Amino acid sequence: MLEIRGLSTRYGASHVLFDVDLTVGEGETVALVGRNGAGKTTTLQSVMGMGGIVRTGSIRVGGVETIGMPAYRIARLGVGLVPEGRRVFGELTVEENLRAAVGIGRRAGSHGKGEHGESAWPLERVFEVLPVLAEVRGSKGAWLSGGEQQILAIARALMTGPKLLLLDEPSEGLAPRLVETLVEQLAAVHRAGVAMLLAEQHAGVVRELAGRVHVLERGVVRMSKGEPG
Ligand code: ATP
């Protein structure tokens, strides 16, 4: 699903990632761990092709080379990013937040379809996989707990029908009970067949969800553990 080889990433003059190799198989969950500033966010942004960064090396998604591609085209290959810090619309209900995610995609001309024909998830499928959200579907984003907001951010990414989800520290700032709910819901996303690359510092979350772990240290993969799943 994702094959990164010899990736180097720079922000202008600042060189952040050095010769990173990393793979995520179809439907597999892989964790990227490391201290603050190790380069986890930069790795996810490199895969997504975010603006302002220069990438060299190879990043293949479903066998397609994405170096040089803009983010919207990488998204259409079936990649979804759940950025750090939730960013839900507080004034919109859960359901409206989800509809807005696909609506915005449509206005951009994607019609909810990826380049390889995968469809956006229907709202009801999202609620089926993430039942915690179904219970609060009429509530405004601002009223949700931190955990529910995080799950809403994940659901919003699922609406576009990704094959690979990139998650940036989803457990950050959540109380332990909410982390447990998050883990349950991410396990359900895994069972639904979506591959995940999970940047995460919470050891419990990594242990519960990831078959393989890559340790990043100052922009270099220092260690990789586990068998390809
Ligand atoms: P955190 O958990 O704090 O987000 P991280 O492992 O995700 O840490 P990154 O955010 O990828 O790390 O940052 C890696 C390095 O890149 C850091 O040294 C950071 O200062 C640098 N960096 C990040 N964003 C930029 C930017 N826009 N311009 C220049 N340097 C940046």
Side-chain angles (χ1 to χ4, degrees), residues 11 14 16 35-42 84 169 201:
Y11 294 98
S14 147
V16 177
R35 296 185 180 169
N36 286 341
K40 302 182 297 297
T41 299
T42 303
E84 211 169 347
E169 308 220 13
Q201 310 233 43

mmCIF file of all heavy atoms in Angstrom, residues 11 14 16 35-42 84 169 201, ligand 1:
data_model
loop_
_atom_site.group_PDB
_atom_site.id
_atom_site.type_symbol
_atom_site.label_atom_id
_atom_site.label_comp_id
_atom_site.label_asym_id
_atom_site.label_seq_id
_atom_site.Cartn_x
_atom_site.Cartn_y
_atom_site.Cartn_z
ATOM 1 N N TYR A 11 12.608 21.403 4.814
ATOM 2 C CA TYR A 11 11.808 22.633 4.814
ATOM 3 C C TYR A 11 12.806 23.731 4.466
ATOM 4 O O TYR A 11 13.616 24.102 5.328
ATOM 5 C CB TYR A 11 11.248 22.953 6.205
ATOM 6 C CG TYR A 11 10.236 21.981 6.749
ATOM 7 C CD1 TYR A 11 10.614 20.978 7.633
ATOM 8 C CD2 TYR A 11 8.888 22.104 6.422
ATOM 9 C CE1 TYR A 11 9.675 20.108 8.175
ATOM 10 C CE2 TYR A 11 7.941 21.237 6.963
ATOM 11 C CZ TYR A 11 8.356 20.245 7.829
ATOM 12 O OH TYR A 11 7.418 19.390 8.369
ATOM 13 N N SER A 14 16.310 23.691 5.958
ATOM 14 C CA SER A 14 16.375 22.780 7.096
ATOM 15 C C SER A 14 16.074 21.340 6.660
ATOM 16 O O SER A 14 14.990 21.032 6.164
ATOM 17 C CB SER A 14 15.412 23.322 8.165
ATOM 18 O OG SER A 14 14.835 22.305 8.878
ATOM 19 N N VAL A 16 15.238 17.643 7.430
ATOM 20 C CA VAL A 16 14.564 17.012 8.571
ATOM 21 C C VAL A 16 14.593 15.487 8.522
ATOM 22 O O VAL A 16 14.847 14.831 9.525
ATOM 23 C CB VAL A 16 13.104 17.522 8.679
ATOM 24 C CG1 VAL A 16 12.374 16.828 9.807
ATOM 25 C CG2 VAL A 16 13.085 19.037 8.906
ATOM 26 N N ARG A 35 10.631 10.797 19.813
ATOM 27 C CA ARG A 35 10.389 11.988 20.634
ATOM 28 C C ARG A 35 9.820 13.139 19.816
ATOM 29 O O ARG A 35 9.869 13.098 18.590
ATOM 30 C CB ARG A 35 11.720 12.462 21.199
ATOM 31 C CG ARG A 35 12.301 11.461 22.107
ATOM 32 C CD ARG A 35 13.541 12.020 22.740
ATOM 33 N NE ARG A 35 14.042 10.973 23.614
ATOM 34 C CZ ARG A 35 15.220 10.995 24.181
ATOM 35 N NH1 ARG A 35 16.015 12.012 23.984
ATOM 36 N NH2 ARG A 35 15.599 9.999 24.951
ATOM 37 N N ASN A 36 9.414 14.189 20.530
ATOM 38 C CA ASN A 36 9.014 15.422 19.858
ATOM 39 C C ASN A 36 10.163 15.904 18.987
ATOM 40 O O ASN A 36 11.310 15.931 19.434
ATOM 41 C CB ASN A 36 8.703 16.525 20.876
ATOM 42 C CG ASN A 36 7.386 16.279 21.577
ATOM 43 O OD1 ASN A 36 6.555 15.517 21.097
ATOM 44 N ND2 ASN A 36 7.191 16.915 22.709
ATOM 45 N N GLY A 37 9.850 16.256 17.765
ATOM 46 C CA GLY A 37 10.883 16.791 16.873
ATOM 47 C C GLY A 37 11.665 15.720 16.132
ATOM 48 O O GLY A 37 12.559 16.031 15.349
ATOM 49 N N ALA A 38 11.328 14.448 16.336
ATOM 50 C CA ALA A 38 12.069 13.363 15.664
ATOM 51 C C ALA A 38 11.772 13.322 14.169
ATOM 52 O O ALA A 38 12.584 12.811 13.389
ATOM 53 C CB ALA A 38 11.717 12.023 16.304
ATOM 54 N N GLY A 39 10.595 13.841 13.778
ATOM 55 C CA GLY A 39 10.251 13.865 12.352
ATOM 56 C C GLY A 39 9.010 13.055 11.988
ATOM 57 O O GLY A 39 8.779 12.768 10.818
ATOM 58 N N LYS A 40 8.193 12.725 12.994
ATOM 59 C CA LYS A 40 6.985 11.920 12.730
ATOM 60 C C LYS A 40 5.995 12.699 11.860
ATOM 61 O O LYS A 40 5.512 12.188 10.848
ATOM 62 C CB LYS A 40 6.326 11.499 14.051
ATOM 63 C CG LYS A 40 7.259 10.706 14.972
ATOM 64 C CD LYS A 40 6.569 10.271 16.249
ATOM 65 C CE LYS A 40 6.090 11.402 17.135
ATOM 66 N NZ LYS A 40 7.188 12.266 17.668
ATOM 67 N N THR A 41 5.692 13.927 12.299
ATOM 68 C CA THR A 41 4.745 14.748 11.538
ATOM 69 C C THR A 41 5.273 14.982 10.124
ATOM 70 O O THR A 41 4.523 14.895 9.148
ATOM 71 C CB THR A 41 4.533 16.105 12.248
ATOM 72 O OG1 THR A 41 3.999 15.841 13.547
ATOM 73 C CG2 THR A 41 3.581 17.006 11.475
ATOM 74 N N THR A 42 6.560 15.238 10.018
ATOM 75 C CA THR A 42 7.160 15.494 8.698
ATOM 76 C C THR A 42 7.034 14.259 7.803
ATOM 77 O O THR A 42 6.798 14.385 6.600
ATOM 78 C CB THR A 42 8.645 15.904 8.865
ATOM 79 O OG1 THR A 42 8.691 17.048 9.719
ATOM 80 C CG2 THR A 42 9.275 16.228 7.530
ATOM 81 N N GLU A 84 -2.655 16.480 13.587
ATOM 82 C CA GLU A 84 -2.606 16.685 15.031
ATOM 83 C C GLU A 84 -3.609 17.775 15.395
ATOM 84 O O GLU A 84 -3.757 18.747 14.654
ATOM 85 C CB GLU A 84 -1.184 17.180 15.353
ATOM 86 C CG GLU A 84 -0.672 16.782 16.682
ATOM 87 C CD GLU A 84 0.830 17.077 16.802
ATOM 88 O OE1 GLU A 84 1.494 17.363 15.787
ATOM 89 O OE2 GLU A 84 1.307 17.012 17.934
ATOM 90 N N GLU A 169 -0.519 11.520 16.099
ATOM 91 C CA GLU A 169 -0.706 11.524 17.556
ATOM 92 C C GLU A 169 -2.171 11.629 17.984
ATOM 93 O O GLU A 169 -2.552 12.574 18.675
ATOM 94 C CB GLU A 169 0.100 12.674 18.166
ATOM 95 C CG GLU A 169 1.530 12.606 17.682
ATOM 96 C CD GLU A 169 2.565 12.931 18.732
ATOM 97 O OE1 GLU A 169 2.206 12.987 19.916
ATOM 98 O OE2 GLU A 169 3.723 13.095 18.347
ATOM 99 N N GLN A 201 3.041 8.526 20.480
ATOM 100 C CA GLN A 201 4.013 8.429 21.581
ATOM 101 C C GLN A 201 3.514 7.546 22.711
ATOM 102 O O GLN A 201 4.264 7.201 23.617
ATOM 103 C CB GLN A 201 4.265 9.814 22.172
ATOM 104 C CG GLN A 201 4.590 10.852 21.152
ATOM 105 C CD GLN A 201 5.864 11.580 21.490
ATOM 106 O OE1 GLN A 201 6.843 10.965 21.882
ATOM 107 N NE2 GLN A 201 5.849 12.888 21.358
HETATM 108 P P1 ATP B 1 6.124 16.548 17.310
HETATM 109 O O1 ATP B 1 5.554 15.417 18.040
HETATM 110 O O2 ATP B 1 6.682 17.620 18.209
HETATM 111 O O3 ATP B 1 5.275 17.089 16.205
HETATM 112 P P2 ATP B 1 7.608 15.183 15.303
HETATM 113 O O4 ATP B 1 8.355 13.931 15.563
HETATM 114 O O5 ATP B 1 6.307 15.068 14.622
HETATM 115 O O6 ATP B 1 7.442 15.959 16.651
HETATM 116 P P3 ATP B 1 8.283 17.091 13.295
HETATM 117 O O7 ATP B 1 7.164 18.001 13.643
HETATM 118 O O8 ATP B 1 8.215 16.311 12.067
HETATM 119 O O9 ATP B 1 8.581 16.110 14.500
HETATM 120 O O10 ATP B 1 9.613 17.976 13.283
HETATM 121 C C1 ATP B 1 10.873 17.452 12.923
HETATM 122 C C2 ATP B 1 11.891 18.566 12.785
HETATM 123 O O11 ATP B 1 11.519 19.406 11.718
HETATM 124 C C3 ATP B 1 12.008 19.467 14.012
HETATM 125 O O12 ATP B 1 13.355 19.726 14.238
HETATM 126 C C4 ATP B 1 11.278 20.726 13.614
HETATM 127 O O13 ATP B 1 11.857 21.851 14.224
HETATM 128 C C5 ATP B 1 11.484 20.755 12.097
HETATM 129 N N1 ATP B 1 10.362 21.421 11.415
HETATM 130 C C6 ATP B 1 9.065 21.079 11.491
HETATM 131 N N2 ATP B 1 8.294 21.891 10.746
HETATM 132 C C7 ATP B 1 9.138 22.781 10.168
HETATM 133 C C8 ATP B 1 8.976 23.896 9.274
HETATM 134 N N3 ATP B 1 7.772 24.231 8.810
HETATM 135 N N4 ATP B 1 10.090 24.570 8.913
HETATM 136 C C9 ATP B 1 11.312 24.217 9.370
HETATM 137 N N5 ATP B 1 11.538 23.190 10.208
HETATM 138 C C10 ATP B 1 10.471 22.474 10.613
#
